[in-house]
Amino acid sequence: MPVTPLVTTQWLRDNLERSDLVILDASFHLAATQRDPREEFRQVHIPGAQFFDIEYIADPTTDLPHMLPTDNDFIEKVSALGVGNDKTIVVYDACGIFSAPRAWWMLRIFGLENVHVLDGGLPKWQAEGHPVTDKITKPARGTLTGALDRSKVYDLDAVQEVVNGAPGLILDARGRGRFTAEDPEPREGMRSGHMPGAKSVPLCDLLIDGCYRPLDELKTIFTEAGVTPQTRAVCTCGSGVTAAGVALALTLTGHDDHAVYDGSWSEWGSRSDTPIATGAD
């Protein structure tokens, strides 16, 4: 059984036939890429994988992108993928490490424990010559129970409290140019910049060739950003996807006191009543 949130491609290859294994393709792409992750899944995926659609497993009542669903909606949609509390779950995506941590985070905060991310994702899997297929299998519905751990999720009010001095350090996973406002936001009409007091920790800085950096390098990055053992880290990004990648990196280093701001910049940057800072942190 894996002892960390990450599994290697070799571990997955060696355990591909396990009866208790559920593999989830949680690929997601920004609109500007003009890529369709579900169609790509139909064409090529790891054998036995199911498609975890973060746009579908989401709250349909809000205009904000892929916000967390209700407990009942989560259980209904995720159990249909074969996910159960008795399963070993491995999540991957088509970019290496991009959106898979979002699915990992969702599964974890809804109560599942044995959840892992494939380090390097589909690109590393294919580069090493492991099997892929276009055959889609229908799983038996999983036996799933759970409820959202709200201590791991921050909303607008909670983040505003941190900006106003409440305990917490905001870690922003967006690219540094978006953080400083030198680069425009990809969503039209969105203000540029960052939440006052936030620190820039781009997800891409935590990775090498689509895999997480060694633990000592991750620890150095977080230490330089101001994370201490006593820090309550609040991870944010553009829409709550790459923020989960920072949360996973924190978990890898043994720092479990963290939450994700689900609305992220899609919410904060689209309002007129939230303060914004520009320039370096």
mmCIF file of all heavy atoms in Angstrom, residues 102-122:
data_model
loop_
_atom_site.group_PDB
_atom_site.id
_atom_site.type_symbol
_atom_site.label_atom_id
_atom_site.label_comp_id
_atom_site.label_asym_id
_atom_site.label_seq_id
_atom_site.Cartn_x
_atom_site.Cartn_y
_atom_site.Cartn_z
ATOM 1 N N ARG A 102 -6.434 18.438 -7.766
ATOM 2 C CA ARG A 102 -7.770 18.934 -7.428
ATOM 3 C C ARG A 102 -8.691 17.757 -7.100
ATOM 4 O O ARG A 102 -9.430 17.797 -6.102
ATOM 5 C CB ARG A 102 -8.348 19.747 -8.588
ATOM 6 C CG ARG A 102 -9.821 20.117 -8.461
ATOM 7 C CD ARG A 102 -10.092 21.162 -7.402
ATOM 8 N NE ARG A 102 -11.532 21.416 -7.255
ATOM 9 C CZ ARG A 102 -12.053 22.444 -6.601
ATOM 10 N NH1 ARG A 102 -11.268 23.343 -6.036
ATOM 11 N NH2 ARG A 102 -13.355 22.597 -6.490
ATOM 12 N N ALA A 103 -8.660 16.710 -7.915
ATOM 13 C CA ALA A 103 -9.485 15.532 -7.634
ATOM 14 C C ALA A 103 -9.026 14.854 -6.349
ATOM 15 O O ALA A 103 -9.850 14.410 -5.537
ATOM 16 C CB ALA A 103 -9.436 14.560 -8.805
ATOM 17 N N TRP A 104 -7.704 14.752 -6.161
ATOM 18 C CA TRP A 104 -7.160 14.181 -4.919
ATOM 19 C C TRP A 104 -7.693 14.945 -3.715
ATOM 20 O O TRP A 104 -8.155 14.349 -2.733
ATOM 21 C CB TRP A 104 -5.632 14.243 -4.974
ATOM 22 C CG TRP A 104 -4.944 14.019 -3.660
ATOM 23 C CD1 TRP A 104 -4.618 12.812 -3.098
ATOM 24 C CD2 TRP A 104 -4.500 15.020 -2.732
ATOM 25 N NE1 TRP A 104 -3.995 13.009 -1.881
ATOM 26 C CE2 TRP A 104 -3.914 14.361 -1.625
ATOM 27 C CE3 TRP A 104 -4.537 16.423 -2.722
ATOM 28 C CZ2 TRP A 104 -3.371 15.035 -0.534
ATOM 29 C CZ3 TRP A 104 -3.999 17.105 -1.637
ATOM 30 C CH2 TRP A 104 -3.427 16.412 -0.555
ATOM 31 N N TRP A 105 -7.632 16.266 -3.777
ATOM 32 C CA TRP A 105 -8.089 17.106 -2.672
ATOM 33 C C TRP A 105 -9.578 16.918 -2.425
ATOM 34 O O TRP A 105 -10.010 16.770 -1.274
ATOM 35 C CB TRP A 105 -7.765 18.561 -2.990
ATOM 36 C CG TRP A 105 -8.266 19.551 -1.986
ATOM 37 C CD1 TRP A 105 -7.778 19.782 -0.728
ATOM 38 C CD2 TRP A 105 -9.358 20.469 -2.161
ATOM 39 N NE1 TRP A 105 -8.500 20.782 -0.104
ATOM 40 C CE2 TRP A 105 -9.467 21.224 -0.963
ATOM 41 C CE3 TRP A 105 -10.238 20.731 -3.209
ATOM 42 C CZ2 TRP A 105 -10.435 22.212 -0.790
ATOM 43 C CZ3 TRP A 105 -11.198 21.717 -3.044
ATOM 44 C CH2 TRP A 105 -11.291 22.447 -1.839
ATOM 45 N N MET A 106 -10.376 16.898 -3.485
ATOM 46 C CA MET A 106 -11.820 16.710 -3.335
ATOM 47 C C MET A 106 -12.120 15.375 -2.665
ATOM 48 O O MET A 106 -12.923 15.302 -1.720
ATOM 49 C CB MET A 106 -12.505 16.784 -4.694
ATOM 50 C CG MET A 106 -12.512 18.173 -5.318
ATOM 51 S SD MET A 106 -13.220 18.172 -6.989
ATOM 52 C CE MET A 106 -14.946 17.735 -6.640
ATOM 53 N N LEU A 107 -11.513 14.318 -3.152
ATOM 54 C CA LEU A 107 -11.766 12.996 -2.580
ATOM 55 C C LEU A 107 -11.371 12.949 -1.110
ATOM 56 O O LEU A 107 -12.081 12.374 -0.281
ATOM 57 C CB LEU A 107 -10.998 11.936 -3.377
ATOM 58 C CG LEU A 107 -11.497 11.717 -4.814
ATOM 59 C CD1 LEU A 107 -10.430 11.014 -5.644
ATOM 60 C CD2 LEU A 107 -12.796 10.926 -4.836
ATOM 61 N N ARG A 108 -10.251 13.578 -0.793
ATOM 62 C CA ARG A 108 -9.787 13.576 0.591
ATOM 63 C C ARG A 108 -10.721 14.365 1.517
ATOM 64 O O ARG A 108 -11.051 13.901 2.611
ATOM 65 C CB ARG A 108 -8.374 14.160 0.653
ATOM 66 C CG ARG A 108 -7.308 13.291 0.021
ATOM 67 C CD ARG A 108 -6.903 12.160 0.909
ATOM 68 N NE ARG A 108 -6.256 12.624 2.132
ATOM 69 C CZ ARG A 108 -5.999 11.865 3.187
ATOM 70 N NH1 ARG A 108 -6.359 10.592 3.179
ATOM 71 N NH2 ARG A 108 -5.405 12.362 4.253
ATOM 72 N N ILE A 109 -11.143 15.555 1.089
ATOM 73 C CA ILE A 109 -11.942 16.380 1.997
ATOM 74 C C ILE A 109 -13.371 15.869 2.119
ATOM 75 O O ILE A 109 -14.092 16.274 3.028
ATOM 76 C CB ILE A 109 -11.946 17.868 1.585
ATOM 77 C CG1 ILE A 109 -12.612 18.075 0.228
ATOM 78 C CG2 ILE A 109 -10.537 18.427 1.604
ATOM 79 C CD1 ILE A 109 -12.806 19.538 -0.119
ATOM 80 N N PHE A 110 -13.773 14.956 1.230
ATOM 81 C CA PHE A 110 -15.074 14.314 1.386
ATOM 82 C C PHE A 110 -14.952 12.986 2.133
ATOM 83 O O PHE A 110 -15.904 12.211 2.177
ATOM 84 C CB PHE A 110 -15.747 14.107 0.034
ATOM 85 C CG PHE A 110 -16.512 15.312 -0.451
ATOM 86 C CD1 PHE A 110 -15.952 16.180 -1.362
ATOM 87 C CD2 PHE A 110 -17.781 15.589 0.026
ATOM 88 C CE1 PHE A 110 -16.653 17.298 -1.817
ATOM 89 C CE2 PHE A 110 -18.494 16.701 -0.406
ATOM 90 C CZ PHE A 110 -17.919 17.562 -1.333
ATOM 91 N N GLY A 111 -13.785 12.712 2.706
ATOM 92 C CA GLY A 111 -13.662 11.606 3.642
ATOM 93 C C GLY A 111 -12.920 10.378 3.180
ATOM 94 O O GLY A 111 -12.719 9.450 3.965
ATOM 95 N N LEU A 112 -12.471 10.333 1.918
ATOM 96 C CA LEU A 112 -11.720 9.172 1.450
ATOM 97 C C LEU A 112 -10.267 9.296 1.895
ATOM 98 O O LEU A 112 -9.692 10.388 1.882
ATOM 99 C CB LEU A 112 -11.821 9.064 -0.071
ATOM 100 C CG LEU A 112 -13.216 8.610 -0.542
ATOM 101 C CD1 LEU A 112 -13.555 9.201 -1.883
ATOM 102 C CD2 LEU A 112 -13.280 7.095 -0.596
ATOM 103 N N GLU A 113 -9.668 8.182 2.278
ATOM 104 C CA GLU A 113 -8.325 8.217 2.855
ATOM 105 C C GLU A 113 -7.252 7.673 1.922
ATOM 106 O O GLU A 113 -6.152 8.222 1.857
ATOM 107 C CB GLU A 113 -8.310 7.425 4.169
ATOM 108 C CG GLU A 113 -9.203 8.036 5.255
ATOM 109 C CD GLU A 113 -9.135 7.273 6.553
ATOM 110 O OE1 GLU A 113 -8.451 6.212 6.595
ATOM 111 O OE2 GLU A 113 -9.756 7.714 7.535
ATOM 112 N N ASN A 114 -7.535 6.622 1.194
ATOM 113 C CA ASN A 114 -6.512 5.949 0.396
ATOM 114 C C ASN A 114 -6.514 6.497 -1.031
ATOM 115 O O ASN A 114 -6.877 5.802 -1.990
ATOM 116 C CB ASN A 114 -6.754 4.442 0.411
ATOM 117 C CG ASN A 114 -5.531 3.653 -0.005
ATOM 118 O OD1 ASN A 114 -4.438 4.203 -0.170
ATOM 119 N ND2 ASN A 114 -5.713 2.358 -0.201
ATOM 120 N N VAL A 115 -6.119 7.761 -1.152
ATOM 121 C CA VAL A 115 -6.155 8.468 -2.436
ATOM 122 C C VAL A 115 -4.753 8.939 -2.781
ATOM 123 O O VAL A 115 -4.048 9.502 -1.925
ATOM 124 C CB VAL A 115 -7.106 9.680 -2.386
ATOM 125 C CG1 VAL A 115 -7.271 10.275 -3.784
ATOM 126 C CG2 VAL A 115 -8.454 9.298 -1.793
ATOM 127 N N HIS A 116 -4.349 8.746 -4.036
ATOM 128 C CA HIS A 116 -2.991 9.048 -4.444
ATOM 129 C C HIS A 116 -2.985 9.687 -5.834
ATOM 130 O O HIS A 116 -3.905 9.496 -6.625
ATOM 131 C CB HIS A 116 -2.147 7.764 -4.457
ATOM 132 C CG HIS A 116 -2.280 6.967 -3.201
ATOM 133 N ND1 HIS A 116 -1.509 7.188 -2.094
ATOM 134 C CD2 HIS A 116 -3.153 5.975 -2.870
ATOM 135 C CE1 HIS A 116 -1.869 6.357 -1.127
ATOM 136 N NE2 HIS A 116 -2.874 5.617 -1.572
ATOM 137 N N VAL A 117 -1.932 10.427 -6.115
ATOM 138 C CA VAL A 117 -1.749 11.058 -7.415
ATOM 139 C C VAL A 117 -0.575 10.391 -8.118
ATOM 140 O O VAL A 117 0.467 10.119 -7.504
ATOM 141 C CB VAL A 117 -1.481 12.576 -7.260
ATOM 142 C CG1 VAL A 117 -1.028 13.201 -8.575
ATOM 143 C CG2 VAL A 117 -2.743 13.269 -6.756
ATOM 144 N N LEU A 118 -0.742 10.142 -9.412
ATOM 145 C CA LEU A 118 0.328 9.547 -10.219
ATOM 146 C C LEU A 118 1.330 10.636 -10.569
ATOM 147 O O LEU A 118 1.031 11.551 -11.332
ATOM 148 C CB LEU A 118 -0.255 8.922 -11.481
ATOM 149 C CG LEU A 118 0.763 8.270 -12.431
ATOM 150 C CD1 LEU A 118 1.448 7.077 -11.753
ATOM 151 C CD2 LEU A 118 0.080 7.836 -13.733
ATOM 152 N N ASP A 119 2.536 10.538 -10.007
ATOM 153 C CA ASP A 119 3.561 11.546 -10.253
ATOM 154 C C ASP A 119 4.008 11.473 -11.717
ATOM 155 O O ASP A 119 4.413 10.415 -12.201
ATOM 156 C CB ASP A 119 4.758 11.297 -9.327
ATOM 157 C CG ASP A 119 5.595 12.541 -9.105
ATOM 158 O OD1 ASP A 119 5.105 13.648 -9.366
ATOM 159 O OD2 ASP A 119 6.734 12.393 -8.621
ATOM 160 N N GLY A 120 3.907 12.594 -12.406
ATOM 161 C CA GLY A 120 4.246 12.619 -13.827
ATOM 162 C C GLY A 120 3.073 12.368 -14.743
ATOM 163 O O GLY A 120 3.158 12.635 -15.950
ATOM 164 N N GLY A 121 1.994 11.824 -14.193
ATOM 165 C CA GLY A 121 0.749 11.668 -14.938
ATOM 166 C C GLY A 121 0.860 10.859 -16.212
ATOM 167 O O GLY A 121 1.762 10.022 -16.388
ATOM 168 N N LEU A 122 -0.072 11.116 -17.119
ATOM 169 C CA LEU A 122 -0.136 10.379 -18.379
ATOM 170 C C LEU A 122 1.107 10.587 -19.245
ATOM 171 O O LEU A 122 1.571 9.627 -19.883
ATOM 172 C CB LEU A 122 -1.397 10.765 -19.145
ATOM 173 C CG LEU A 122 -1.707 9.966 -20.416
ATOM 174 C CD1 LEU A 122 -1.911 8.483 -20.090
ATOM 175 C CD2 LEU A 122 -2.941 10.531 -21.125
#
